[in-house]
Amino acid sequence: MAVNLDKEAYYRRIKRLYGNWKKGEDEFGKVDAIVVSVGVDEEIVYAKSTAIQTWLFGYELTDTIMVFCDTKIIFLASKKKVDFLKQVAVTKGNENANGVPPITLLTREKNESNKANFDKMIEAIRGSKEGKVVGVFSKDKFPGEYMKSWNDTITAEGLEKVDISAVVAYTMAVKEDGELGLMKKAAAITSEVYSKFFKERVMEIVDADEKVRHSKLAESVEKAIEEKKYLGGADPSTVEMCYPPIIQSGGNYSLKFSVVSDKNHMHFGAITCAMGIRYKSYCSNLVRTLMVDPPQEMQDNYNFLLQVEEELLKELKHGVKICDAYNAVLEYMKKEKSELVAKLTKNLGFAMGIEFREGSLVLNSKNQYKLKKGMVLSISLGFADLVNKEAKKDEQKKYALFIGDTIQINEEDAATVLTPVKKKIKNVGIFLKNDDEEDEEEDGDDAEELLGKGARSAALLADRTRLLGKNEMTAEEKRRAHQKELANHLNEEAKRRLTEQKGEQQIQKARKSNVSYKNVSQMPREKDIREMKIFIDKKYETVVMPVFGIATPFHIATIKNISMSVEGDYTYLRINFFVPGSSLGRQEGNIFPNPDATFVKEITYRASNLKAPGDTSVPSTNLQNAFRIIKEVQKRYKTREAEEKEKEGIVKQDSLVINLNRSNPKLKDLYIRPNIAQKRMQGSLEAHTNGFRFTSVRGDKVDILYNNIKHAIFQPCDGEMIIVLHFHLKNAIMFGKRRHTDVQFYTEVGEITTDLGKHQHMHDRDDLYAEQMEREMRHKLKSAFKNFIEKVETLTKEQLEFEVPFRDLGFQGAPYRSTCLLQPTSGSLVNTTEWPPFVVTLDEVELVHFERVQFHLKNFDVVIVYKDYSKKVTMINAVPVNSLDPIKEWLNSCDIKYTEGVQSLNWTKIMKTIVDDPEGFFEQGGWSFLDPESEGSCAEEDSESEMEDETFNPSASEEEEEEEDSDEDYSSETEDSNYSASVGSEEESGKDWDELEEEARRADKESHYEDEDTSAVNNSSSSNNKKRKVRPSASRSGPSKKKRRS
């Protein structure tokens, strides 16, 4: 797949570079041309030459020479790189390229001296302005013959070199929105790794009194960034360390970023940690000091260091000189604690971006550069060589305090901290309890036994509440405490929400009234009508029937069904109509506009099959034609109605703004689900200015706007047979004559079907080759999809972010008919590989209830209740019981209340009760009735039968019925119950068993079974406990109860 270059970013940035050059400030005013040459050196991580390449093109281009002249730009590179650079060299038809000098591309000759190309570039330099001075990055020295020969050529020509590192750095220092987004992401990842890995690991080491070397701990931090759980959904391949983590303790401190972690064991005193993570070439930095049992003086010094940082953040604003901000902080320190001024680090930070440390923008007393809005700095300040007066051991006598953050410069407000990791003393102080204190405490001896190492038990204040020994809170107890807080908040929030919604009344939908003809003049004047035959008016979708000699029109919508039968010499046509009381479709309104009127229920017509003398055709032909045409019109009407119904409530979307740029992010050879037509078709998905467009090979188009996407989910092909981009929409869209809120685009990765007839052999070369090809295909597709996603996120300025499911947190369950793997994402619970897809937005969830949680059962059910109580609850059946604890942990981390019970509840009835009387529900305790504690108290007060009636369906038969109806909504269930009550005649419902016995006996006599079955009937009538044989006549009139057998 061709590597795309962000042309718009290139044009914006090259214009900024030339704009600053033309202003002629500082070194820019001295140079006639700018030369950037990049060779190959694996050891160089940060260089201004590679940074400017990444800034302009998004990639590093080795063995490439760039010459920026006054009126032209020349790139000398290999053939592949020249092909890549052609994307910006061809500016035809691109408005953004206006004002950018034209580009000349020269292809490097591998085995020759490149003298001809060098001469062309020297000629261009000579023709630029004065042609005497070239701007270079003097610190960047790349090895190799190619670079040497180019540098020798410049020297031989007598061109003067001026270092322009500082002015170029200042040009690149102000970040665009896209760059700021990447740096914020990098800072967020750094914060996650520090909080969730490093800090937790130090706690474990202190807790267990382990001996761990600084270098080993630093290595473990580097390995942690390979694990997705610490990366906040970022791809591990885009994340790297800016420098090896620096961990120092035990009196040996150097508050710089150029040192490495030594091999000494970590000492439990002041532990400084500096780490920086780079995301998509953009850096971030974080420094913290953890203190184990800090004396009061150390705490005071640390609190003062926090105050100094706050003062620095206030000073760092747009337009302020760097030296002025530094001096203001120094003045503040002299006034508050002058003795610590000498201990302060020499500088307070530096500008940061593609390069970790920008040497020309360091926060010190000499830097004259002004800060600008959009700059990102790494501030780091500390006190070194502090003395601990209470120390007994040598390694405790000296300590250092060091803190730092990644910050963004604002217009007027204080700088924004992008690494908001808590750093107050209560968050970083680890307080130990020694033997003497333990003896004083209650149950101290027990604690020593349980701890094993009675010397210490670490406690991190505020973040962790650890108790000694057996009083230590388990994960379950912590969860319960958190759930209790959530329960209180839940009831208050739900009560407030329902009170606000109370005014909104649901309007019952009336049945659509269809008028055939608005006036008599529209009635057809056909021959069939005059001859009293049935006539079908296709234009007005009306059947004109003769009723008592009068032609009477009936709209096709009033006809329920028709049937035709032939009996002897006659054909019968029976037409049934919709009337009040008859079962209408589930989704149709059950209210008639005028229910008190007289309705025709059915009409039957009869016609002879015999042809009378003189007749041109058989009389029944009219009925046969009528039957056929009515069926056709009815089908057409129902199809149109279904389409209109689908369109109901569809929110009108904005028009898609097509971006004619050919470099739009695009994925080809994708399938769409649901299908546009009956047969699935391939197509391409392309990202435009405000949305996506899928175009099938047939030419069908489906547009999805960015602002209509609720969840964009990327399901990688790890462990799956397909790779998916799934869009869960806010408002449904129409395509394929249906409305859809879930649309996905996928491609198959491997063979979904396997030929079982094929001879299988373990070492079959073809099979091994096929597996290797599939692995390569998976890797290729994954890279293509990730590349597409990154470009879309950049295009939308991170407004549209793709969620990636956390497979490690996934669990099996059956939300529909089959079991599938349900996986959480950052904002939802999804399954996108099976169809229909399953997507639940976590923000819409009120609470989650676990049903049938019992020791002897292998599975349980999950019920998801939404904040919108009118919405049907979601059931996930057959979840393995070993997933219960991980699900609880996940829900607890998402601040979602969960409850559990042993029985299945009738949620239809519960939700109806809540919606009908929300005040009463919350007065009685609200959702607390689901908690196990309150469940027990209810059981004592209420009778068992009452509970069964109100909430539970414990019988197997009722559970089965509930499962069968699980896909239907509440309204349909109530309709069904009303309708089923009216089915059957009064006569049938009124008969008891004795009457039925009598009917059965009479039927036996008539059928000449009297001799054989009299005894059986008598026996059954005398005792209901014996098996009874019921004849067909009796069973037809009897109630629909199952025969019991004792």
Side-chain angles (χ1 to χ4, degrees), residues 132-144:
K132 294 176 183 176
V133 183
V134 291
V136 295
F137 303 129
S138 55
K139 285 186 181 178
D140 296 357
K141 290 182 173 63
F142 290 91

Side-chain angles (χ1 to χ4, degrees), residues 164-218:
I164 56 166
S165 300
V167 285
V168 170
Y170 195 56
T171 302
M172 293 163 60
V174 178
K175 304 292 182 284
E176 296 174 352
D177 290 344
E179 293 178 288
L180 286 173
L182 293 173
M183 297 196 79
K184 284 175 183 174
K185 182 74 173 173
I189 295 170
T190 307
S191 305
E192 285 280 295
V193 173
Y194 171 81
S195 304
K196 291 186 178 177
F197 178 79
F198 177 76
K199 193 168 161 188
E200 294 290 317
R201 182 74 187 108
V202 171
M203 284 296 305
E204 287 169 13
I205 292 166
V206 175
D207 220 357
D209 198 11
E210 287 181 53
K211 285 194 172 183
V212 179
R213 297 183 191 277
H214 294 139
S215 54
K216 286 286 180 190
L217 188 54

Side-chain angles (χ1 to χ4, degrees), residues 693-961:
R693 168 164 283 181
F694 175 80
T695 311
S696 73
V697 288
R698 200 176 69 175
D700 305 286
K701 290 181 174 64
V702 176
D703 295 342
I704 300 171
L705 301 186
Y706 300 139
N707 60 12
N708 191 32
I709 296 172
K710 195 185 229 177
H711 295 289
I713 298 152
F714 169 49
Q715 174 67 62
C717 50
D718 303 328
E720 302 288 353
M721 296 306 289
I722 58 174
I723 185 166
V724 181
L725 287 181
H726 185 95
F727 299 110
H728 182 64
L729 308 177
K730 295 173 187 172
N731 301 306
I733 60 170
M734 284 286 293
F735 66 87
K737 296 184 180 178
R738 295 187 73 84
R739 56 195 292 165
H740 306 284
T741 49
D742 285 284
V743 185
Q744 67 177 222
F745 306 95
Y746 72 98
T747 189
E748 290 163 2
V749 180
E751 285 185 14
I752 290 178
T753 56
T754 307
D755 183 4
L756 296 176
K758 184 181 166 188
H759 176 67
Q760 296 289 334
H761 192 271
M762 191 172 160
H763 301 293
D764 189 347
R765 283 187 181 181
D766 289 344
D767 282 1
L768 291 172
Y769 178 70
E771 283 179 23
Q772 187 182 345
M773 289 297 289
E774 187 178 317
R775 276 195 295 273
E776 287 174 9
M777 169 69 84
R778 282 175 181 271
H779 180 69
K780 202 173 175 184
L781 281 171
K782 211 170 168 183
S783 302
F785 273 70
K786 280 179 180 173
N787 191 21
F788 175 79
I789 287 165
E790 285 167 12
K791 285 177 182 173
V792 169
E793 286 180 344
T794 308
L795 180 70
T796 60
K797 296 180 180 175
E798 304 286 331
Q799 288 176 350
L800 178 69
E801 283 192 20
F802 282 81
E803 302 169 29
V804 180
F806 304 119
R807 196 174 181 85
D808 297 343
L809 298 176
F811 58 92
Q812 296 289 334
Y816 302 115
R817 297 298 180 200
S818 59
T819 302
C820 57
L821 181 67
L822 301 166
Q823 302 172 79
T825 71
S826 52
S828 56
L829 177 66
V830 302
N831 171 266
T832 56
T833 51
E834 302 284 330
W835 197 263
F838 178 82
V839 182
V840 169
T841 306
L842 298 183
D843 288 344
E844 294 175 1
V845 174
E846 181 82 305
L847 69 99
V848 174
H849 181 65
F850 306 123
E851 293 184 340
R852 301 190 304 111
V853 180
Q854 298 181 48
F855 291 116
H856 63 280
L857 294 179
K858 290 182 181 177
N859 299 321
F860 65 96
D861 300 333
V862 177
V863 180
I864 299 170
V865 181
Y866 296 97
K867 289 175 181 174
D868 180 3
Y869 289 170
S870 60
K871 194 175 176 182
K872 189 177 182 347
V873 300
T874 298
M875 294 277 292
I876 303 171
N877 299 314
V879 181
V881 78
N882 58 4
S883 300
L884 183 59
D885 264 0
I887 293 172
K888 284 182 177 177
E889 191 60 49
W890 165 62
L891 290 172
N892 195 53
S893 68
C894 297
D895 291 338
I896 294 174
K897 168 73 180 158
Y898 64 79
T899 54
E900 63 180 80
V902 294
Q903 289 168 305
S904 298
L905 307 182
N906 186 344
W907 286 98
T908 311
K909 204 165 187 178
I910 290 171
M911 300 312 292
K912 192 174 184 303
T913 306
I914 297 169
V915 173
D916 289 349
D917 183 18
E919 289 94 346
F921 173 70
F922 288 107
E923 278 171 17
Q924 291 169 12
W927 290 109
S928 59
F929 81 92
L930 291 172
D931 285 326
E933 292 85 0
S934 60
E935 211 172 343
S937 61
C938 287
E940 289 172 14
E941 293 170 21
D942 301 336
S943 68
E944 194 178 330
S945 60
E946 200 170 325
M947 280 179 72
E948 276 185 26
D949 290 344
E950 287 300 314
T951 53
F952 302 123
N953 279 352
S955 72
S957 62
E958 284 175 341
E959 280 182 8
E960 285 168 14
E961 286 169 15

Side-chain angles (χ1 to χ4, degrees), residues 532-534 544-548 550 552 554 565 571-575 577 603-607 623:
M532 288 297 139
K533 290 181 180 178
I534 297 173
V544 182
M545 307 180 206
V547 179
F548 300 121
I550 299 168
T552 312
F554 290 88
S565 60
T571 295
Y572 293 86
L573 180 67
R574 180 177 175 180
I575 302 172
F577 297 93
I603 295 177
T604 305
Y605 290 95
R606 188 184 77 169
L623 294 188

